[in-house]
Amino acid sequence: MPHRINFITAEEFTDPIQAYGDVEFILDFEDAAQVLRLWRNPHLGRSSREGAVLSLAAKNAVAMENIVQKIMTTYLTANEEERLLNELKILRFMGDRILPDVLERVNRNELQTLEEILKYIQDLLRNLKYEGSVDLDQLAEKLNQLQEIIDIEITDAFGRKKRISRESVMDLLGKILGRFLLKQISVAPIDEVQKRPRGTIRLKETYKSAILSSQNIPPTSVKQEDIIRVKKDRRSLVYLIVDMSQSMKKAVFEGKMSRLDGALLTSLSLYYYFKIMNRRKRKRFDMFKLAVVPVRKNPTVVDDDSKMENYLLTADAKGKTYMVQAIQTAIEHAKKQRVDKDIDVYFTIVTDGMPNVPTFPYDYRKNEELQKYFSEIQTKTKPETIDCLIQLNGIFKHLKNDRTRNWNISYFLMGTESLRNKELFIHTKQMLKGITRPILIDPAQIKKLGEQILRESMMHA
């Protein structure tokens, strides 16, 4: 009767003290940043010591119930039955003697870390004498499950609490933030003005449509409904190029969330947003693909789940701003994708400073007007930064003139409104002249960065 056998699964166990139901969990951006920090730091991630013991107790209880049902309802050999009875004895010993003692000491703050809990259990095993034949080696192996429970206790915007396993954090945060972004971006203003559809006019198809509607050759007029445009359901490669320099450690809210936290959460929310959009489109190919390119020495392209998880876990704000190298890496990656003209490329750059590591050799034409601008002004900007700005301008100009596909560039600068009068903004604006404009975003509003990036992309779509 194998269909009647219950197996212990690796499912997420809810808190045995309280069931929260299926209510949608809603996290504020700052709360999501706290969860992200707990996840990125395993020691902080063990924030609920009681939760670790209770989670083990819940798994222990389910395992005992499954063994009892298997013994009662399934044909077993003598050896198999003896093995299960011994395991049941071990689990009962854990549930009756060890876990209650551990939980009590945790609640009295005598055991404050997972390491202390494990050491106490090991000492307990050496000192305990149990009337019966409990295999202490097997018991120790069972208790080692504690090492696998690095739960994170989170509270949502309505005060609901739950604990989640470490491996489910990225998926939980991504879905919550991605859905929130979807809701925000889907809210369109309602007015009585019908805007002109965007896109390049297809002249031949428009001419044919006008002939049919006017019943004349040549057509007497071309109406709005006659205009045929290039289908806008185009495939897009979106590259989020994120500054990871030392300055990104600056706090956004009085020492809590950093600029790096905000950038990482934005990366995650956009990553899941495009996943959701692709599922809704239900096309043969994914219409959107997001890749993240961290601005750091030897930049790489983050373009799948495992890379994204590693990026979120290991990202650190340090060192210089290798912006030129990151953009070149993104260009090389984009060119290795399909070269069809119906695939657009969007570069979204998020930084709080100027690049300061030029690249050599440099293969693009330098803008003489920009070189003249920097040679004629008095500036405190370092020569290597000026070289980087000139190099970036050459790269962006080259992309704009590329006829093989559409390259779109958005450049976000993090800073307060006063930044507009500083060299950082003025030089960046000059570097982007004829290409795009710098978009200033106050770090205190970084939770809206994902929404701004999407709206900016739609403007250029």
Side-chain angles (χ1 to χ4, degrees), residues 44-94:
L44 291 177
R46 298 162 188 160
S47 59
S48 174
R49 292 163 291 139
E50 298 88 347
V53 180
L54 288 171
S55 294
L56 185 59
K59 291 189 178 187
N60 195 72
V62 172
M64 285 195 296
E65 183 182 345
N66 287 341
I67 289 174
V68 170
Q69 288 190 27
K70 190 172 182 179
I71 292 173
M72 298 294 292
T73 61
T74 308
Y75 174 77
L76 299 168
T77 65
N79 289 339
E80 179 68 8
E81 186 171 333
E82 184 179 355
R83 185 189 67 79
L84 287 174
L85 285 171
N86 189 51
E87 185 172 347
L88 182 61
K89 192 182 296 184
I90 291 170
L91 293 173
R92 278 182 174 159
F93 183 60
M94 284 175 59

Coordinates of all heavy atoms in Angstrom, one line a residue, residues 44-94:
L44 N 22.6 37.3 11.8 CA 21.3 38.0 12.0 C 20.1 37.1 11.6 O 19.1 37.2 12.2 CB 21.3 39.3 11.2 CG 22.3 40.4 11.5 CD1 22.2 41.5 10.5 CD2 22.0 40.9 12.9
G45 N 20.3 36.3 10.7 CA 19.2 35.4 10.2 C 18.7 34.5 11.3 O 17.6 34.0 11.2
R46 N 19.5 34.2 12.3 CA 19.0 33.4 13.4 C 18.4 34.2 14.4 O 18.6 34.1 15.6 CB 20.2 32.6 14.0 CG 20.9 31.7 13.0 CD 22.3 31.3 13.4 NE 22.9 30.6 12.3 CZ 24.2 30.4 12.2 NH1 25.0 31.0 13.1 NH2 24.8 29.8 11.2
S47 N 17.6 35.2 14.0 CA 17.0 36.1 14.9 C 16.0 35.5 15.8 O 15.7 36.0 16.9 CB 16.3 37.3 14.1 OG 15.3 36.7 13.3
S48 N 15.4 34.4 15.4 CA 14.4 33.8 16.3 C 14.9 32.4 16.8 O 14.7 31.4 16.2 CB 13.1 33.6 15.5 OG 12.1 32.8 16.2
R49 N 15.6 32.5 17.9 CA 16.1 31.2 18.5 C 15.0 30.3 18.9 O 15.0 29.1 18.7 CB 17.0 31.5 19.7 CG 18.2 32.3 19.3 CD 18.9 32.9 20.6 NE 18.0 34.0 21.1 CZ 17.8 34.3 22.3 NH1 18.3 33.5 23.3 NH2 17.0 35.3 22.7
E50 N 13.9 30.9 19.5 CA 12.8 30.0 19.8 C 12.2 29.4 18.6 O 11.8 28.2 18.6 CB 11.7 30.9 20.5 CG 12.1 31.5 21.8 CD 12.8 32.9 21.6 OE1 13.1 33.2 20.5 OE2 13.0 33.6 22.6
G51 N 12.2 30.2 17.5 CA 11.7 29.7 16.2 C 12.4 28.5 15.7 O 11.8 27.5 15.2
A52 N 13.7 28.5 15.9 CA 14.6 27.4 15.4 C 14.2 26.1 16.2 O 14.0 25.0 15.6 CB 16.0 27.7 15.6
V53 N 14.0 26.2 17.5 CA 13.7 25.0 18.3 C 12.2 24.6 18.0 O 11.9 23.4 17.9 CB 13.8 25.3 19.8 CG1 13.5 24.1 20.6 CG2 15.3 25.8 20.1
L54 N 11.3 25.6 17.9 CA 9.9 25.2 17.6 C 9.8 24.6 16.2 O 8.9 23.7 16.0 CB 9.0 26.5 17.7 CG 8.8 27.0 19.1 CD1 8.1 28.4 19.1 CD2 8.0 26.0 19.9
S55 N 10.5 25.1 15.2 CA 10.5 24.5 13.9 C 10.9 23.0 13.9 O 10.3 22.2 13.3 CB 11.4 25.3 12.9 OG 10.9 26.6 12.8
L56 N 12.0 22.8 14.7 CA 12.5 21.4 14.8 C 11.4 20.5 15.6 O 11.2 19.4 15.2 CB 13.8 21.4 15.6 CG 14.5 20.0 15.7 CD1 14.7 19.4 14.3 CD2 15.7 20.1 16.5
A57 N 10.8 21.1 16.6 CA 9.7 20.4 17.3 C 8.6 20.0 16.4 O 8.0 18.9 16.5 CB 9.3 21.2 18.5
A58 N 8.2 21.0 15.5 CA 7.1 20.7 14.6 C 7.5 19.6 13.6 O 6.7 18.7 13.4 CB 6.8 22.0 13.8
K59 N 8.7 19.6 13.1 CA 9.1 18.6 12.2 C 9.2 17.2 12.9 O 8.9 16.2 12.4 CB 10.5 18.9 11.6 CG 10.4 20.1 10.6 CD 11.7 20.3 9.9 CE 11.6 21.4 8.9 NZ 12.8 21.5 8.0
N60 N 9.6 17.3 14.2 CA 9.8 16.1 15.0 C 8.4 15.4 15.2 O 8.2 14.2 15.1 CB 10.4 16.4 16.3 CG 10.9 15.3 17.1 OD1 11.9 14.7 16.8 ND2 10.2 14.9 18.2
A61 N 7.4 16.3 15.5 CA 6.0 15.7 15.7 C 5.4 15.1 14.5 O 4.8 14.1 14.5 CB 5.1 16.9 16.2
V62 N 5.6 15.8 13.3 CA 5.1 15.2 12.1 C 5.8 13.9 11.7 O 5.2 13.0 11.3 CB 5.3 16.3 10.9 CG1 5.0 15.7 9.6 CG2 4.4 17.5 11.1
A63 N 7.1 13.8 12.0 CA 7.8 12.6 11.7 C 7.3 11.4 12.5 O 7.2 10.3 12.0 CB 9.3 12.8 11.9
M64 N 7.0 11.7 13.8 CA 6.5 10.6 14.7 C 5.1 10.2 14.2 O 4.9 9.0 14.1 CB 6.4 11.2 16.1 CG 7.7 11.3 16.8 SD 7.5 11.4 18.6 CE 6.7 13.0 18.8
E65 N 4.3 11.1 13.8 CA 3.0 10.7 13.3 C 3.0 9.9 12.1 O 2.3 8.9 11.9 CB 2.2 12.0 13.0 CG 0.7 11.7 12.6 CD 0.0 13.0 12.3 OE1 0.4 14.1 12.7 OE2 -1.1 12.9 11.6
N66 N 4.0 10.3 11.2 CA 4.1 9.5 9.9 C 4.6 8.1 10.2 O 4.2 7.1 9.5 CB 5.1 10.2 9.0 CG 4.5 11.5 8.3 OD1 3.2 11.6 8.3 ND2 5.3 12.4 7.9
I67 N 5.5 7.9 11.1 CA 6.1 6.6 11.4 C 5.0 5.7 12.0 O 4.8 4.6 11.7 CB 7.3 6.7 12.4 CG1 8.5 7.3 11.7 CG2 7.6 5.3 13.0 CD1 9.7 7.6 12.5
V68 N 4.2 6.3 12.9 CA 3.1 5.5 13.6 C 2.1 5.1 12.5 O 1.7 3.9 12.5 CB 2.4 6.4 14.6 CG1 1.1 5.7 15.1 CG2 3.3 6.6 15.8
Q69 N 1.7 6.0 11.6 CA 0.8 5.6 10.5 C 1.4 4.5 9.6 O 0.7 3.6 9.2 CB 0.4 6.8 9.7 CG -0.5 7.8 10.4 CD -1.0 8.9 9.5 OE1 -1.1 8.7 8.3 NE2 -1.4 10.0 10.1
K70 N 2.7 4.6 9.3 CA 3.3 3.6 8.5 C 3.3 2.3 9.1 O 3.1 1.2 8.5 CB 4.7 4.1 8.1 CG 5.4 3.3 7.0 CD 6.7 3.9 6.6 CE 7.3 3.1 5.5 NZ 8.6 3.7 5.0
I71 N 3.6 2.2 10.4 CA 3.7 1.0 11.1 C 2.3 0.3 11.2 O 2.1 -0.9 11.1 CB 4.2 1.2 12.6 CG1 5.7 1.5 12.5 CG2 4.0 -0.1 13.4 CD1 6.4 1.9 13.8
M72 N 1.2 1.2 11.4 CA -0.1 0.7 11.6 C -0.8 0.3 10.3 O -1.7 -0.6 10.3 CB -1.0 1.7 12.3 CG -0.5 2.1 13.7 SD -0.6 0.8 14.9 CE -2.4 0.6 15.0
T73 N -0.4 0.8 9.2 CA -1.2 0.6 8.0 C -0.4 0.0 6.8 O -1.0 -0.3 5.8 CB -1.7 2.0 7.5 OG1 -0.6 2.8 7.2 CG2 -2.6 2.6 8.5
T74 N 0.9 -0.3 7.0 CA 1.7 -0.8 5.9 C 2.3 -2.2 6.3 O 2.8 -2.3 7.4 CB 2.8 0.2 5.6 OG1 2.2 1.5 5.3 CG2 3.5 -0.2 4.3
Y75 N 2.4 -3.1 5.4 CA 3.1 -4.3 5.6 C 4.6 -4.1 5.7 O 5.1 -3.5 4.7 CB 2.8 -5.3 4.5 CG 3.6 -6.6 4.6 CD1 3.2 -7.6 5.6 CD2 4.7 -6.8 3.9 CE1 4.0 -8.7 5.7 CE2 5.5 -8.0 4.0 CZ 5.1 -8.9 5.0 OH 5.9 -10.0 5.1
L76 N 5.2 -4.5 6.7 CA 6.7 -4.3 6.9 C 7.4 -5.6 7.3 O 6.8 -6.5 7.9 CB 6.9 -3.3 8.0 CG 6.3 -1.9 7.9 CD1 6.4 -1.1 9.2 CD2 7.0 -1.1 6.8
T77 N 8.6 -5.7 6.9 CA 9.5 -6.8 7.3 C 9.9 -6.6 8.7 O 9.8 -5.4 9.3 CB 10.7 -6.9 6.4 OG1 11.5 -5.7 6.6 CG2 10.4 -7.1 5.0
A78 N 10.4 -7.6 9.4 CA 10.7 -7.5 10.8 C 11.9 -6.5 11.0 O 11.9 -5.7 11.9 CB 11.2 -8.9 11.3
N79 N 12.8 -6.5 10.1 CA 14.0 -5.5 10.2 C 13.5 -4.1 10.0 O 13.9 -3.2 10.7 CB 15.0 -5.9 9.1 CG 15.8 -7.2 9.5 OD1 15.8 -7.6 10.6 ND2 16.4 -7.8 8.5
E80 N 12.6 -3.9 9.0 CA 12.1 -2.5 8.7 C 11.3 -2.0 9.9 O 11.4 -0.9 10.3 CB 11.3 -2.5 7.4 CG 10.7 -1.2 7.1 CD 11.7 -0.2 6.6 OE1 12.9 -0.6 6.4 OE2 11.3 1.0 6.4
E81 N 10.5 -2.9 10.5 CA 9.7 -2.5 11.6 C 10.5 -2.2 12.8 O 10.3 -1.2 13.5 CB 8.7 -3.6 12.0 CG 7.7 -3.2 13.1 CD 6.6 -4.3 13.3 OE1 6.3 -5.0 12.4 OE2 6.1 -4.3 14.5
E82 N 11.6 -3.0 13.1 CA 12.5 -2.7 14.2 C 13.2 -1.3 14.0 O 13.4 -0.5 14.9 CB 13.5 -3.8 14.3 CG 14.5 -3.6 15.5 CD 15.5 -4.8 15.6 OE1 15.4 -5.7 14.8 OE2 16.4 -4.7 16.4
R83 N 13.6 -1.1 12.7 CA 14.3 0.2 12.4 C 13.4 1.4 12.7 O 13.8 2.4 13.3 CB 14.8 0.2 11.0 CG 15.6 1.5 10.6 CD 15.8 1.5 9.1 NE 14.6 1.8 8.4 CZ 14.0 3.0 8.2 NH1 14.5 4.0 8.9 NH2 12.9 3.1 7.5
L84 N 12.1 1.3 12.3 CA 11.2 2.4 12.5 C 10.9 2.6 13.9 O 10.7 3.7 14.4 CB 9.9 2.1 11.7 CG 10.0 2.3 10.1 CD1 8.7 1.8 9.5 CD2 10.3 3.7 9.8
L85 N 10.7 1.5 14.7 CA 10.4 1.6 16.1 C 11.6 2.3 16.8 O 11.4 3.1 17.7 CB 10.2 0.2 16.7 CG 8.8 -0.4 16.4 CD1 8.8 -1.9 16.9 CD2 7.7 0.4 17.0
N86 N 12.8 2.0 16.4 CA 14.0 2.6 17.1 C 14.0 4.1 16.7 O 14.3 5.0 17.6 CB 15.3 1.9 16.6 CG 16.5 2.4 17.3 OD1 16.5 2.4 18.6 ND2 17.5 2.8 16.6
E87 N 13.7 4.4 15.5 CA 13.6 5.8 15.1 C 12.5 6.6 15.8 O 12.7 7.7 16.3 CB 13.4 6.0 13.6 CG 13.5 7.4 13.1 CD 13.5 7.5 11.6 OE1 13.6 6.5 10.9 OE2 13.3 8.7 11.1
L88 N 11.4 5.9 16.0 CA 10.3 6.5 16.8 C 10.7 6.8 18.2 O 10.4 7.8 18.8 CB 9.1 5.6 16.7 CG 7.8 6.1 17.4 CD1 7.3 7.4 16.8 CD2 6.7 5.1 17.4
K89 N 11.4 5.8 18.8 CA 11.9 6.0 20.2 C 12.8 7.2 20.3 O 12.8 8.0 21.2 CB 12.7 4.7 20.6 CG 13.0 4.6 22.1 CD 13.7 3.4 22.4 CE 12.9 2.1 22.0 NZ 13.6 0.9 22.4
I90 N 13.7 7.4 19.3 CA 14.6 8.5 19.3 C 13.9 9.8 19.2 O 14.1 10.8 19.9 CB 15.6 8.4 18.1 CG1 16.6 7.2 18.3 CG2 16.4 9.7 17.9 CD1 17.4 6.9 17.1
L91 N 12.9 9.9 18.3 CA 12.1 11.1 18.1 C 11.3 11.5 19.3 O 11.2 12.6 19.7 CB 11.2 10.9 16.9 CG 11.8 10.8 15.5 CD1 10.8 10.5 14.4 CD2 12.6 12.1 15.1
R92 N 10.8 10.4 20.0 CA 10.0 10.7 21.2 C 10.9 11.2 22.3 O 10.6 12.1 23.1 CB 9.3 9.4 21.7 CG 8.0 9.2 21.0 CD 7.3 8.0 21.5 NE 6.0 7.8 20.8 CZ 5.3 6.7 20.7 NH1 5.8 5.6 21.2 NH2 4.1 6.7 20.2
F93 N 12.1 10.6 22.4 CA 13.1 11.1 23.4 C 13.5 12.6 23.1 O 13.6 13.4 24.1 CB 14.4 10.2 23.3 CG 15.4 10.6 24.3 CD1 15.2 10.5 25.6 CD2 16.7 10.9 23.9 CE1 16.1 10.8 26.6 CE2 17.7 11.2 24.8 CZ 17.4 11.1 26.2
M94 N 13.6 12.9 21.9 CA 13.9 14.3 21.5 C 12.7 15.2 21.9 O 12.9 16.3 22.6 CB 14.1 14.5 20.0 CG 15.4 14.0 19.5 SD 15.5 14.1 17.7 CE 15.3 15.9 17.4

